[in-house]
Every structure is written in C-alpha cells, then in structure tokens.
Amino acid sequence: MNRKEFLNQATYDAEKADHWWWQKERQYGLSRRELMRLFAVGTGAAALGTLPSLGGGIARAEEVPIIKPVPANLFYLHGTNAETRFEAFKGTGYLTPNDLFFVRNHSSTPRIDASTWRLRIEGDGVRTPIELTYDELRSMPSRTETKAIECAGNFRTQFEVLHNTKASGTPWRSGAIGVAEWKGVSLSRVLQRAGLEKSAVDFMPWGLDSKQVRRPLPIALGLKDDTLLVYEMNGKPLMPDHGYPVRLLTPGWVGVCNVKWVGKIEVSKSPLYSDWNTKTYVLFGPDYPAKPVVTTQNVKAAFELPWDGTLKAGRHTLTGRAWSGLGKIARVDVSFDGGNTWLPANLDKRNIPQAWVQFSIPWVAKAGSHRLMARATDSRGNTQPMSIPFNEQGYLFGAVVKHPITVT
Ligand SMILES: Nc1nc2c(c(=O)[nH]1)N[C@H]1C(S)=C(S)[C@@H](COP(=O)(O)O)O[C@H]1N2
Ligand SMILES: [Mo]
C-alpha cells in the first residue's frame, strides 16, 4: 500500500471510529468522556456491546443506519441491519419489546417530522387523489392486530449448511422476526376515501428512505381488513427505526411488503414493477425456472438457545417459538437424536395466526455435542421439510434447522 492510500485508509478508519463514538453518545446520552471511562474500566464493552463491525454499514455522519441502541448482547449487527439474538426472546413474553425488535434497513433510518409528513394516495386506480396528515390518519377508526414481521431472508445462513453454497444477502440466523401489537387504520378505508376504482389491480407503497423502498402488491391484499397503515407498536408511537410516523402492515407476507416511512401509495389499473419484485425478493436458481416473486412466509420454528451454545448436563426445559405466514401453529415436534424419534412439544395457549406460539419441552441433556431439531406444522397442514432447494438470494428457508449445542 502506498503512502497516499495509507493516509486515506487511516482517515477512513478514524472517521468510522468517530462515527461510532458519536452514535453511542447519542444512544446512551453520555459524553464521549464518560463513555471512554466506562470502556477503560472494562464494563463498557459488556454494557454497551463491543465495537460493531462497521464494514458496509457506515454512512455519512448525519445518516445513522439505526437510531435505537442495538447492544451486542441482544443483537447481531449486519451493516445497516440488527438481528435479535433468538435466545434474547427467552422470558420476554408473547410480544417482542420494541427495543428488542430486529431492524432491517435497505439504506438507513430517516428522521421524519410527523407534523409535515403527508400520505398521498394517487394513480389511475383511484378517482380522486388524496393527501392525509398524521392527525387525519389518527382520527380515523383504528384497528389493532397482533402479528409477526419476518424478513424473507430469515435463516438465510442455513442454505450454506444444507447446500454448501452461500446465498447472497444479509447473513441472518433465526432472529429476523418479531411479533408486536400494531395499531393503525385499515388501508382499505383510506383507499375507499380516494375512490378506489373497481378495475385497480395493484398498489405500491413508497418509503421515504433514501432508497425509496417500494414493493408492488395485489389490490386484494390492500383490501383485507388487517392490512394496516400502522402508527403504534405495542402501545407506543412507532420508533424511527420501525417506520415512524407510519408504516404498512401486511400480515403473513414477507417483511419487505411492510414498507416503513410510507409517504405515498400508488394505485394502478395495470401491474406495477419495482426492483423489489423484479430483481430482489424473487426466487432465482435451477429449481425455480418460473422465477416466482416471494409473497407469504412459510412455517418455521427456533429454540431460544444461543447458536452453538453450551448447556450443563442434566434436566432442562427447552423453550422456543414457532410461526407460519399462513395460519396458526398446529404442532411442534422435537428430535434430540438427529431425526430418528420425535416428541411433541407443549404449546402455550396464545397462538395467533401470522404471529407465533411459544413451545417448551423437557430434556435430560447428556455430555457431548448435539443437534437439536424442532419441526413445526401449521393449521393448514404445512410441515417443515428436512431439505429445500437452493435459491440464489436465500429467501424463505423453511427446512428443519439442526441447532448445535454442546453439553458439558
Ligand atoms: N421504506 C422501507 N421499508 C422497509 C424496509 C426498508 O429498508 N425501507 N425494509 C423492509 C424489510 S426487508 C423488512 S424485513 C422490514 C423490517 O421491519 P423492521 O425493521 O421494523 O423490523 O421492513 C421492510 N420495510
Ligand atoms: Mo426483509
């Protein structure tokens, strides 16, 4: 490396470090000096999370990829995204606390002023384009839904385990999912207010982030009562990272359809296209000649255990969660012996379609390495298979996962 490059690299690294301190100062409301003191006595790294890998994730200082704290003991950081460590769900109850909810940002979290924010409904699929303010939306009849939002790429790293080939994209393990109580207004009410045309076929919510994430969706989805324009999450105004002031909720559909920071909804009498239904969120690969666009989520299960973690030998009650985009969960079976025998897990009472159910099962753990398997079946009879074909961008991994655990 020549001197000039070295200087650039040094400047770049300094900038990254500076940005990191700046972000932490904002997150914890501490001065840099106080933060440095925390780190110097060695408690800081544990309390705040260790220095994240900034590769790819860092933007200019005024653009913060994620605003809320995402400490490393609760999240895996992947560039502009933060994945909840699945073991952190243990003991949190049915709803995922807002602070613990994963963040998936294609670019970064914008800061939007709700008092100047507008939602525009336009296109040839409506008779009268309208514009709503935040207060106008909040004064409309509301509806509350408890539902999951899950990234289409959740479990992507498992494609490599099965097929020895890495799928491209954020290397999620199991924690690109959360369940919340979402309050908002049925999108259909807003569409009707704009004079929805009978011949409208598609609608496309536009995000106000720098990438303007926008995903065309069928009008039938827009007319379902539980498709919401959401302004509250678990009883609080949406956090900036989760779409403040308003996001879409599309129960059962892949995460990207739940457009955050929505500023415009285009309604059309002809099919709509964007990169998010032509280039990404499409299954590409030899087993998918028809190149289907991903729509709804499949059935899955995960243990609330650290990945590749350790347990003491003896009696344990293992816990986990199972979910489906197509219904509620009918059963979860667990195997401790590599799939030779399966035992039914206990399901908790709360089992909401397109959300999840908590399960538990006793296990007498013997010393050694284990691969724990949980296999969920939903109310439509969909069961997790042992294997699924590869797709290049690693969407919808729904096969049974072999969770590595060492018992000591
Ligand atoms: N405007 C906008 N909306 C977006 C995204 C985005 O980057 N920009 N990410 C999408 C993806 S891929 C997912 S999985 C969910 C994640 O929602 P969350 O960050 O609130 O967990 O938001 C979706 N909505
Ligand atoms: Mo996603």
Side-chain angles (χ1 to χ4, degrees), residues 101-108 149-152 172 176 182 206-209 212-214 233 241-243 247 254-262 281:
F101 212 97
F102 82 103
V103 179
R104 166 62 173 129
N105 282 346
H106 284 269
S107 45
S108 57
I149 290 182
E150 182 188 17
C151 187
W172 304 112
W182 309 96
W206 288 61
L208 294 167
D209 44 342
Q212 295 189 298
V213 169
R214 50 195 185 279
M233 178 176 183
D241 296 311
H242 297 295
R247 82 178 301 168
V254 292
V256 70
C257 305
N258 301 261
V259 169
K260 303 193 275 190
W261 317 294
V262 61
Y281 302 97

Side-chain angles (χ1 to χ4, degrees), residues 24-100:
K24 293 290 166 219
E25 282 169 353
R26 288 198 53 268
Q27 286 181 358
Y28 298 99
L30 298 172
S31 71
R32 187 165 308 196
R33 208 134 154 222
E34 288 166 322
L35 276 168
M36 283 179 150
R37 203 162 38 231
L38 261 178
F39 273 83
V41 297
T43 54
L48 306 180
T50 44
L51 235 159
S53 86
L54 297 171
I58 224 62
R60 291 185 313 276
E62 68 274 19
E63 276 184 22
V64 181
I66 297 177
I67 291 174
K68 72 178 183 182
V70 283
N73 59 327
L74 301 178
F75 292 92
Y76 295 109
L77 301 176
H78 311 290
T80 55
N81 313 292
E83 168 178 4
T84 312
R85 291 177 182 261
F86 213 90
E87 64 271 30
F89 288 131
K90 200 174 170 74
T92 58
Y94 192 82
L95 300 177
T96 306
N98 295 353
D99 291 346
L100 193 61

Side-chain angles (χ1 to χ4, degrees), residues 166-204:
K166 238 195 190 94
S168 68
T170 306
W172 304 112
R173 292 170 177 85
S174 50
I177 182 169
V179 168
E181 196 183 88
W182 309 96
K183 183 177 175 187
V185 176
S186 294
L187 173 64
S188 66
R189 284 183 185 275
V190 173
L191 294 178
Q192 299 305 351
R193 230 165 118 149
L196 181 68
E197 297 276 9
K198 280 225 155 51
S199 52
V201 294
D202 274 358
F203 74 102
M204 176 151 74

